[in-house]
């Protein structure tokens, strides 16, 4: 297809079947083979360390991300990866969109371990606290990130000449109206999703809006932790595929069991004056939202270097004629280029995904692959794969091809 980089994750349970201790040499051999074949083909490996795949033994041993014990075990895993693969891998992501899956793991049942407040609206949970556990898990994840980056910078980065960052799920929240209430709702939603992780890794602390709203429910960083977090990324990955309207939620004060999602004080809707914000096949297709995301990073966070680490569109179809997905990429790339022409510092873009995968919550229902994988595991190029090949290997400009 003419692509020059491949982003993939290293599975912690493969590397350490018991969660920690001795590394599994079979896993080392497997990933070495993948990395070497990529490099031989002129493709740069781009590794994510954590993609929701916590070794189950650590969940049972101490509650996984709810315990600070997670931090040292994650660093142990990261160290093994830096040591085994870092001579060839120059791009690392510690955590992938923890700001998205942690709320669905600790204030809902969509992601493991599926904990939330007993009797919490909409979910049938067996235990948890939706008002505190998402923030505790996020806190431990951020501290684990900072510790892993500290190790990398002290022991590996100078020798291996690589970079390290974090990937953030960035859904753009567009105010439903121009009212100050709706603008405030959109800003809070962004703080509680994006700022929750970006501000600690850039500035060493949580957004002021979160601290004000949550009070003691939000863990605090010590001076040493804050200093370690401050500037603990060389780049920020943006998983930016969709947009939704946000409006002020005047009913939130009546909720008897508050939780992470209620803390925003915002309602989300895809409709304005009866018109949908975009086509919906699981997520809403809103190309202009990507330019808004890039503009926000440029103006709010001093144009910190970014990669668009996930850009793709799921369809409930196995067909190879995915003209809707081609439209998605063509339109989103127009707005990507517009954002870059505005000055956004975007270092690269990754399509999600190369082949159909088994989605965390949707299984095989949603297909994201540029390649269709049939029941015999044979890969078939979709129209989108051919579109990418044409775009990346011919001489025309992206805009004219789009």
């Amino acid at each position: 297809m003419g692509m020059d980089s491949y982003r993939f994750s290293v599975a912690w349970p493969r590397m350490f079947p018991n969660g920690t201790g001795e590394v599994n040499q079979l896993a080392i051999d497997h990933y070495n083979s993948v990395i070497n074949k990529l490099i031989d083909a002129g493709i740069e490996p781009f590794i994510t360390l954590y993609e929701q795949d916590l070794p189950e033994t650590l969940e049972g041993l101490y509650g996984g991300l709810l315990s600070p014990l997670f931090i040292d075990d994650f660093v142990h895993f990261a160290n093994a990866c830096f040591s085994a693969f870092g001579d060839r891998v120059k791009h690392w992501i510690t955590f992938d969109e923890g700001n998205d899956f942690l709320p669905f793991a600790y204030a809902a049942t969509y992601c493991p371990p599926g904990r939330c407040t007993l009797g919490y609206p909409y979910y049938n949970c067996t235990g948890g606290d939706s008002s505190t556990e998402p923030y505790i898990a996020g806190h431990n994840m951020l501290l684990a990130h900072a510790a892993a980056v500290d190790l990398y910078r002290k022991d590996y980065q100078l020798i291996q000449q690589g970079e390290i960052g974090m990937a953030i799920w960035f859904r753009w929240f567009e105010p439903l109206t121009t009212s100050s209430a709706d603008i405030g709702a959109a800003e809070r939603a962004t703080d509680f999703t994006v700022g929750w992780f970006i501000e600690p890794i850039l500035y060493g602390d949580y957004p002021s809006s979160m601290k004000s709203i949550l009070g003691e429910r939000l863990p605090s960083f010590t001076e040493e932790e804050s200093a370690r977090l401050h500037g603990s990324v060389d780049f920020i990955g943006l998983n930016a595929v969709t947009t939704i309207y946000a409006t002020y939620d005047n009913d939130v004060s009546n909720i008897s069991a508050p939780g992470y999602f209620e803390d925003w004080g915002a309602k989300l809707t895809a409709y304005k004056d009866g018109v949908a914000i975009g086509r919906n096949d699981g997520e809403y297709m809103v190309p202009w939202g990507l330019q808004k995301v890039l503009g926000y990073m440029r103006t709010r966070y001093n144009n910190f270097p970014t990669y668009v680490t996930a850009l793709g569109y799921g369809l409930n179809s196995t067909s190879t004629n995915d003209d809707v997905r081609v439209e998605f990429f063509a339109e989103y790339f127009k707005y990507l280029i517009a954002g870059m022409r505005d000055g956004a510092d975007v270092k690269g873009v990754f399509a999600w995904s190369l082949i159909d995968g088994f989605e965390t919550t949707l299984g095989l229902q949603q297909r994201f692959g540029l390649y269709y994988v049939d029941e015999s595991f044979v890969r078939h190029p979709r129209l989108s794969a051919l579109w990418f090949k044409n775009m990346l290997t011919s001489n025309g400009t992206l805009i004219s091809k789009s």
Side-chain angles (χ1 to χ4, degrees):
M1 288 187 294
M3 295 188 180
D4 58 6
S5 187
Y6 180 59
R7 180 177 170 226
F8 63 98
S9 61
V10 171
W12 184 351
R14 269 182 170 172
M15 293 285 286
F16 294 94
N18 295 318
T20 188
E22 293 296 316
V23 70
N24 174 16
Q25 188 59 43
L26 290 175
I28 297 284
D29 295 343
H30 166 73
Y31 289 115
N32 272 331
S33 176
V34 173
I35 291 165
N36 291 339
K37 288 178 179 179
L38 287 170
I39 292 172
D40 288 345
I43 299 171
E44 188 84 6
F46 208 110
I47 286 185
T48 298
L49 292 173
Y50 191 88
E51 186 58 75
Q52 301 192 49
D53 46 359
L54 176 74
E56 189 173 11
T57 183
L58 301 184
E59 179 69 26
L61 188 63
Y62 53 67
L65 275 153
L66 292 178
S67 169
L69 295 175
F70 170 89
I71 298 167
D72 284 345
D73 282 338
F74 177 75
V75 172
H76 182 68
F77 160 58
N79 185 49
C81 294
F82 298 149
S83 176
F85 314 128
D87 59 325
R88 288 149 294 151
V89 175
K90 308 303 178 185
H91 311 278
W92 298 93
I93 291 173
T94 53
F95 292 93
D96 182 60
E97 57 184 38
N99 63 316
D100 183 54
F101 72 75
L102 287 180
F104 290 116
Y106 294 97
T109 55
Y110 294 121
C111 296
R115 295 173 56 84
C116 63
T117 300
L118 292 173
Y120 192 59
Y122 316 121
Y123 308 115
N124 183 23
C125 294
T126 58
D129 187 337
S130 303
S131 70
T132 60
E133 288 190 358
Y135 305 114
I136 294 169
H139 196 76
N140 289 329
M141 179 175 285
L142 286 164
L143 293 176
H145 159 83
V149 171
D150 188 57
L151 169 73
Y152 182 71
R153 287 178 170 171
K154 285 180 177 177
D155 293 355
Y156 295 102
Q157 192 166 39
L158 184 62
I159 300 169
Q160 297 179 352
Q161 294 294 295
E163 61 177 357
I164 191 165
M166 178 186 283
I168 303 292
W169 170 255
F170 200 142
R171 174 168 55 174
W172 180 253
F173 297 99
E174 181 74 3
L176 182 63
T177 72
T178 58
S179 71
S180 59
D182 284 0
I183 292 172
E187 290 174 346
R188 283 192 305 278
T190 303
D191 281 349
F192 269 80
T193 54
V194 176
W196 178 24
F197 273 46
I198 286 186
E199 301 216 358
I201 61 178
L202 288 185
Y203 308 133
D205 204 359
Y206 294 114
S208 58
S209 61
M210 292 186 70
K211 295 167 72 173
S212 174
I213 291 168
L214 298 175
E216 293 184 355
R217 287 196 285 130
L218 183 67
S220 59
F221 299 112
T222 66
E223 288 188 12
E224 181 182 354
E225 290 168 344
S226 178
R228 182 180 276 189
L229 271 164
H230 188 283
S232 59
V233 283
D234 301 320
F235 65 88
I236 291 174
L238 303 173
N239 299 350
V241 301
T242 192
T243 294
I244 201 81
Y245 294 120
T247 185
Y248 175 64
D249 185 357
N250 55 10
D251 297 327
V252 72
S253 60
N254 299 323
I255 295 174
S256 58
Y260 168 83
F261 297 104
E262 290 75 21
D263 289 335
W264 306 3
K267 288 181 180 178
L268 306 181
T269 178
Y271 290 87
K272 182 175 184 177
D273 299 326
V275 179
I277 197 169
R279 175 179 174 134
N280 179 25
D281 291 276
E283 295 283 8
Y284 286 92
M285 186 191 301
V286 190
W288 53 262
L290 179 55
Q291 186 177 4
K292 296 258 188 172
V293 166
L294 298 179
Y296 188 86
M297 293 299 299
R298 179 171 54 83
T299 57
R300 176 69 177 263
Y301 296 121
N302 300 316
N303 209 19
F304 198 82
T306 62
Y307 291 88
V308 178
T309 39
L311 189 64
Y313 196 70
L315 293 168
N316 298 328
S317 170
T318 59
S319 172
T320 57
N321 186 26
D322 59 341
D323 54 335
V324 173
R325 185 176 288 114
V326 171
E327 176 188 356
F328 171 91
F329 282 113
E331 292 302 313
Y332 270 72
F333 282 177
K334 288 181 184 178
Y335 285 93
L336 168 68
I337 288 174
M340 294 174 69
R341 285 176 173 164
D342 292 337
D345 186 358
V346 181
K347 303 174 69 175
V349 187
F350 291 86
W352 180 262
S353 57
L354 176 65
I355 59 174
D356 288 337
F358 191 79
E359 293 294 314
T360 306
T361 56
L362 296 170
L364 295 175
Q365 179 182 340
Q366 282 264 303
R367 304 284 185 134
F368 285 82
L370 305 181
Y371 281 77
Y372 162 56
V373 181
D374 66 23
E375 293 182 357
S376 299
F377 304 108
V378 176
R379 302 169 182 182
H380 308 270
R382 289 191 167 106
L383 183 63
S384 54
L386 303 177
W387 180 85
F388 266 105
K389 182 175 182 179
N390 176 65
M391 179 186 69
L392 294 171
T393 59
S394 60
N395 295 322
T397 66
L398 175 59
I399 292 297
S400 67
K401 289 200 197 70
S402 295

